Amino acid sequence: MTKKHPVNEKSKQEQLEQFKTDDRNQALTTNQGLKLSEDEFSLKAGERGPTLMEDFHFREKMTHFDHERIPERIVHARGFAAHGEFELYDSLSEYTKANFLQNPSVKTPVFVRFSTVAGSKGSAETVRDARGFATKFYTEEGNYDLVGNNIPVFFIQDAIKFPDLIHAVKPEPHNEMPQAASAHDTFWDFVANNQESAHMVMWSMSDRAIPRSLRMMEGFGVHTFRLVNAEGKANFVKFHWKPVLGTHSLVWDEAQTISGKDPDFHRRDLWESIENGDYPEYELGLQIIAEEDEFKFDFDILDPTKLWPEEDIPVKLVGKMTLNRNVDNVFAETEQVAFHPGHVVPGIDFSNDPLLQGRLFSYTDTQLIRLGGPNFHELPINRPVCPFHNNQRDGYGRQTINKGPVSYHRNSLAANTPSPVPESEGGYSHYQEKVEGRKVRSRSESFKDHFSQATLFWNSMSDPEKEHIISAFSFELGKVKSKSVQQQVVDMFANVSTVLAKQVAQAIGATPPSGEDAPVTKSSPALSQEQTIKKPNTRKVAVIVANDFSGDLPQVLNSLKQQGIQPEIVSTTLQNVKGTDGSELEVQHTFLTSDSVLFDAVYVVGSSSADEKFRKEALTFAQEAFEHFKPIGATDEGVKWLKAAGLDSSPGVVTGDSTRFTDEFIEAVSAHRHWNRHVI
Ligand code: HDE
């Protein structure tokens, strides 16, 4: 008898509810339910005597505490997550039979964990690094995990090199420095001696590696996967997430300052946006290549160091993901979630990308040590929303109470159940790709071009983006002690651009390459952030205000809010500030608790009664924002202050009366940064 899996009616949220507990207003008990009369003093032989072995309450409490930590992820340890839902625009039945990609009226619950790669669990969030972008879709056919990054290519072509790459980028083992940074000898030694890394290194040295917000970065599945439809027809696919707010970055100096001022910058931004109802949104995009076109390109589509230029293979937007609920408990959800590229559903299949093939082993293996055994799928956050049944049994932390004597297949005592489901009834069946070949340890010839797409990336950058890349290389290599490694890297990147290599060589005292770059034959505008979506929504503006501000201010602030901008008042103390017309504004930050780097823009209002100290503090904010190319606004006394400091009449600096000011300032904020400003 064949049984179809019944779909569980419970939503993921309802499913999680049954595991939640609210300890408020409850009696304090041991884990065995024994009510406790005291919780501050251990059991002693006499008030000043030794603690007794008999104190089961002390031992239970302390033992649990001693075991509170689990090993952090070997990579992507620093992460933050949120719940949400995915909605499809139109049925994708032409390409895939995946149930959650058929019906636009179905909302699929998702859980997304963002992360940095190299740093430890407590490291700062605005470091230069790739960002993980892992999505778990709780579909009615089981969990589907799209475990991607915010960079579309990877450093290496074969999974067997992953331990080497990670050993090289992690803190050096003899002194465990530097934390969460690639600016050190072993990373760059790896790069120079593994030249397949060239393309991803270009991305890592670009603004992509210092995103302004997790809400403002793209996501990529990186590998080539397969979509398979109900007729069994397959197409190759690459997955993209496109942020609705556009792709925006910090500048390096700012990113480093934020690391100290607010190491939680990205999680705070995500958390607050969701709490405020400004739900982060990303559109799902697909690039599709027909199986018969596999060899039509000047790169191998199985090579994970190559992207598919969007101008050649357009990204079709097929649905939208909205993150609308923060977690209740970071450990239970964010820390215990277990992603795996091998968690697929019927209609989604793999390619032979050797990096992907290796990942299909690694993720379950790592959960066994990290989550302490083979039952991590039973943790509330990892449970599918559909039922699951098989003959697996026992193991650490088993929660399921399987009934009956039968735990084997094939059997007659339980009518041969649980039983496999035929493909026609939803059973997963692997795509029957024809495979032939000799057993070899080697790299395909078609994987050997390491520089064409690295050059394509460079050629597609705007001038400010190129400057940032040159500075990033100069910073990173400037921290490398080995002259030999520095020189090897300069020589390697001369294969990408001699302009780049010469400037970096100049900055770090290496020998510059000779020769000139070949004329540019191809660029891909989609790779530059210059053309991205520019909106004022959710941009944070520091509004610097003192007592006796002019009466127009509340109206200006309302106009900004109507455009989705978030003005926050900064002043000397947290006392309300009062306007000349008697109006009052609540102060959110002081000069002591905040800094311009924590905002997208600065608006200096001041007032005529503000003292010299206030004026100086306001100008420090404005000056720093100016150097980070941020929009600056000024009205009232603020205009005089900016003029006196020479900060006016530069691109992105808006000063004036309130009617004209509001529109111009909103426009300046939407632009994100003003690169054509002369900063010394
Ligand atoms: Fe991962 N990766 N990875 N990776 N990866 C892990 O799994 C691994 C790679 C990615 O928020 C680990 O559960 C190998 C590419 C993300 O929980 C581990 C290789 C991409 C996350 C692992 C890669 C990723 C991980 C560590 C080379 C982008 C965080 C903890 C073959 C497409 C998921 C864990 C989360 C995590 C192995 C390369 C993305 C050790 C062997 C390429 C987003 O299993």
Side-chain angles (χ1 to χ4, degrees):
M1 186 194 65
T2 304
K3 258 196 196 164
K4 230 178 159 179
H5 281 198
V7 167
N8 195 333
E9 291 304 307
K10 263 190 212 133
S11 71
K12 186 66 197 173
Q13 191 169 353
E14 282 169 337
Q15 196 196 46
L16 288 173
E17 277 320 310
Q18 56 184 308
F19 294 97
K20 290 182 190 167
T21 168
D22 186 349
D23 298 326
R24 285 173 302 179
N25 302 321
Q26 300 294 330
L28 181 75
T29 70
T30 64
N31 287 333
Q32 304 305 317
L34 177 71
K35 287 189 186 124
L36 293 165
S37 57
E38 215 292 311
D39 189 37
E40 281 183 83
F41 309 111
S42 49
L43 188 68
K44 296 178 207 74
E47 279 182 356
R48 300 180 62 250
T51 303
L52 299 177
M53 247 326 232
E54 181 189 324
D55 191 352
F56 57 81
H57 169 39
F58 168 82
R59 279 187 285 116
E60 182 197 86
K61 183 175 176 181
M62 193 56 80
T63 304
H64 198 279
F65 170 76
D66 290 343
H67 295 251
E68 269 178 11
R69 289 291 169 269
I70 61 173
E72 65 176 36
R73 288 164 173 81
I74 168 66
V75 284
H76 297 266
R78 176 74 168 167
F80 202 64
H83 294 273
E85 58 196 25
F86 172 75
E87 285 171 283
L88 190 69
Y89 294 152
D90 291 305
S91 171
L92 287 172
S93 59
E94 183 190 348
Y95 297 111
T96 175
K97 60 184 172 188
N99 193 309
F100 81 108
L101 297 175
Q102 305 299 307
N103 185 350
S105 66
V106 171
K107 288 185 182 173
T108 304
V110 296
F111 187 64
V112 179
R113 184 175 181 273
F114 300 102
S115 47
T116 55
V117 180
S120 291
K121 193 165 171 285
S123 56
E125 289 183 341
T126 56
V127 296
R128 179 175 294 285
D129 199 353
R131 298 297 184 285
F133 191 139
T135 308
K136 191 179 283 294
F137 296 83
Y138 300 97
T139 90
E140 295 180 349
E141 295 179 300
N143 291 347
Y144 167 55
D145 292 354
L146 179 53
V147 197
N149 278 345
N150 76 330
I151 291 180
V153 290
F154 204 60
F155 287 115
I156 48 171
Q157 294 173 316
D158 193 312
I160 201 169
K161 295 176 76 159
F162 193 65
D164 303 294
L165 164 71
I166 300 306
H167 287 170
V169 71
K170 283 269 181 183
E172 296 184 10
H174 61 303
N175 57 12
E176 220 186 26
M177 290 193 274
Q179 178 57 243
S182 53
H184 59 111
D185 286 53
T186 54
F187 175 71
W188 288 98
D189 189 32
F190 179 89
V191 168
N193 290 283
N194 296 273
Q195 302 214 342
E196 69 211 70
S197 61
H199 189 190
M200 180 149 173
V201 169
M202 292 300 295
W203 283 77
S204 308
M205 294 303 110
S206 80
D207 297 344
R208 299 281 182 146
I210 39 172
R212 152 67 181 88
S213 160
L214 302 170
R215 302 173 293 123
M216 299 174 197
M217 61 181 205
E218 291 183 283
F220 304 91
V222 176
H223 312 283
T224 296
F225 290 88
R226 273 193 174 86
L227 291 180
V228 186
N229 69 15
E231 284 77 52
K233 164 116 182 70
N235 280 281
F236 292 112
V237 65
K238 281 219 193 257
F239 294 105
H240 296 246
W241 288 116
K242 299 269 185 196
V244 167
L245 292 177
T247 312
H248 301 279
S249 292
L250 302 169
V251 297
W252 182 228
D253 178 68
E254 177 192 19
Q256 290 180 90
T257 309
I258 296 174
S259 287
K261 297 269 177 187
D262 186 4
D264 307 312
F265 185 73
H266 279 150
R267 61 180 57 197
R268 192 183 309 286
D269 170 274
L270 192 74
W271 173 272
E272 286 180 354
S273 301
I274 294 175
E275 291 297 299
N276 292 339
D278 292 319
Y279 299 141
E281 294 175 320
Y282 309 81
E283 289 185 289
L284 180 68
L286 305 181
Q287 281 179 300
I288 292 187
I289 292 181
E291 291 249 306
E292 49 276 22
D293 293 340
E294 179 172 0
F295 300 107
K296 280 198 180 155
F297 301 91
D298 58 1
F299 52 86
D300 192 327
I301 65 164
L302 299 186
D303 176 355
T305 67
K306 303 296 183 299
L307 51 79
W308 300 355
E310 292 186 25
E311 292 74 15
D312 301 339
I313 303 142
V315 178
K316 182 181 157 68
L317 297 176
V318 300
K320 190 195 273 181
M321 175 167 75
T322 306
L323 301 182
N324 53 17
R325 194 157 55 86
N326 277 315
V327 298
D328 287 291
N329 185 283
V330 172
F331 181 82
E333 301 176 73
T334 312
E335 193 59 13
Q336 294 201 117
V337 67
F339 292 96
H340 180 15
H343 291 163
V344 286
V345 289
I348 300 181
D349 215 308
F350 313 112
S351 74
N352 292 333
D353 169 349
L355 195 70
L356 172 60
Q357 294 284 320
R359 289 180 76 200
L360 294 176
F361 162 74
S362 181
Y363 287 70
T364 307
D365 186 40
T366 207
Q367 311 309 347
L368 291 175
I369 179 82
R370 194 172 73 78
L371 297 170
N375 288 318
F376 54 86
H377 62 283
E378 293 186 329
L379 293 166
I381 195 65
N382 294 326
R383 281 177 177 263
V385 291
C386 60
F388 52 99
H389 300 281
N390 53 47
N391 292 314
Q392 295 165 27
R393 291 292 184 273
D394 309 347
Y396 282 111
R398 183 69 170 179
Q399 292 170 44
T400 307
I401 303 175
N402 298 96
K403 294 197 283 187
V406 177
S407 54
Y408 51 89
H409 180 75
R410 307 182 58 101
N411 67 66
S412 66
L413 294 177
N416 204 24
T417 58
S419 53
V421 179
E423 192 182 348
S424 58
E425 291 177 37
Y428 189 88
S429 151
H430 291 261
Y431 178 67
Q432 295 192 8
E433 181 184 3
K434 188 174 177 212
V435 182
E436 256 178 348
R438 291 179 185 281
K439 275 189 220 165
V440 287
R441 278 194 193 276
S442 66
R443 188 191 330 239
S444 166
E445 274 300 313
S446 56
F447 276 41
K448 286 190 176 161
D449 165 16
H450 303 323
F451 293 104
S452 299
Q453 285 207 353
T455 307
L456 175 74
F457 183 76
W458 172 256
N459 288 340
S460 307
M461 295 291 102
S462 64
D463 285 344
E465 285 172 317
K466 283 184 176 168
E467 274 174 39
H468 299 166
I469 292 173
I470 293 167
S471 305
F473 270 100
S474 305
F475 174 91
E476 298 259 321
L477 291 168
K479 298 263 184 182
V480 166
K481 293 192 186 68
S482 162
K483 291 281 163 206
S484 152
V485 168
Q486 288 176 327
Q487 190 62 51
Q488 290 175 58
V489 176
V490 167
D491 295 346
M492 171 175 169
F493 283 87
N495 292 309
V496 174
S497 162
T498 54
V499 174
L500 165 67
K502 280 175 187 168
Q503 295 208 40
V504 175
Q506 166 70 22
I508 63 169
T511 309
S514 55
E516 302 294 326
D517 285 351
V520 174
T521 52
K522 189 170 177 183
S523 67
S524 167
L527 300 179
S528 167
Q529 288 178 237
E530 195 87 336
Q531 307 305 328
T532 192
I533 301 160
K534 290 174 179 163
K535 291 181 173 183
N537 305 53
T538 73
R539 295 305 185 143
K540 275 173 81 171
V541 177
V543 185
I544 302 181
V545 191
N547 276 326
D548 299 326
F549 62 81
S550 99
D552 293 341
L553 183 60
Q555 207 188 319
V556 176
L557 298 184
N558 275 339
S559 307
L560 298 181
K561 282 183 196 160
Q562 275 164 20
Q563 296 300 314
I565 291 176
Q566 296 168 352
E568 293 185 7
I569 309 292
V570 182
S571 196
T572 318
T573 70
L574 289 176
Q575 307 276 358
N576 283 1
V577 278
K578 296 194 177 75
T580 46
D581 63 351
S583 58
E584 286 196 25
L585 289 170
E586 192 187 328
V587 177
Q588 278 94 24
H589 311 275
T590 68
F591 294 121
L592 197 63
T593 61
S594 136
D595 194 288
S596 89
V597 293
L598 304 175
F599 297 89
D600 292 293
V602 171
Y603 169 21
V604 187
V605 184
S607 88
S608 50
S609 61
D611 61 13
E612 180 57 14
K613 188 161 180 288
F614 188 100
R615 191 185 67 88
K616 275 194 180 151
E617 297 273 22
L619 281 176
T620 304
F621 256 71
Q623 183 71 46
E624 196 178 26
F626 187 87
E627 283 164 15
H628 295 148
F629 305 92
K630 289 181 182 173
I632 298 173
T635 54
D636 309 281
E637 201 66 13
V639 181
K640 288 188 208 153
W641 296 351
L642 286 198
K643 281 194 175 151
L647 291 178
D648 60 326
S649 53
S650 258
V653 182
V654 183
T655 55
D657 64 75
S658 59
T659 40
R660 201 172 51 84
F661 170 80
T662 314
D663 290 344
E664 286 183 11
F665 187 54
I666 291 167
E667 209 176 298
V669 171
S670 309
H672 180 62
R673 299 294 158 110
H674 299 270
W675 303 120
N676 49 354
R677 180 182 290 169
H678 184 65
V679 172
I680 301 152

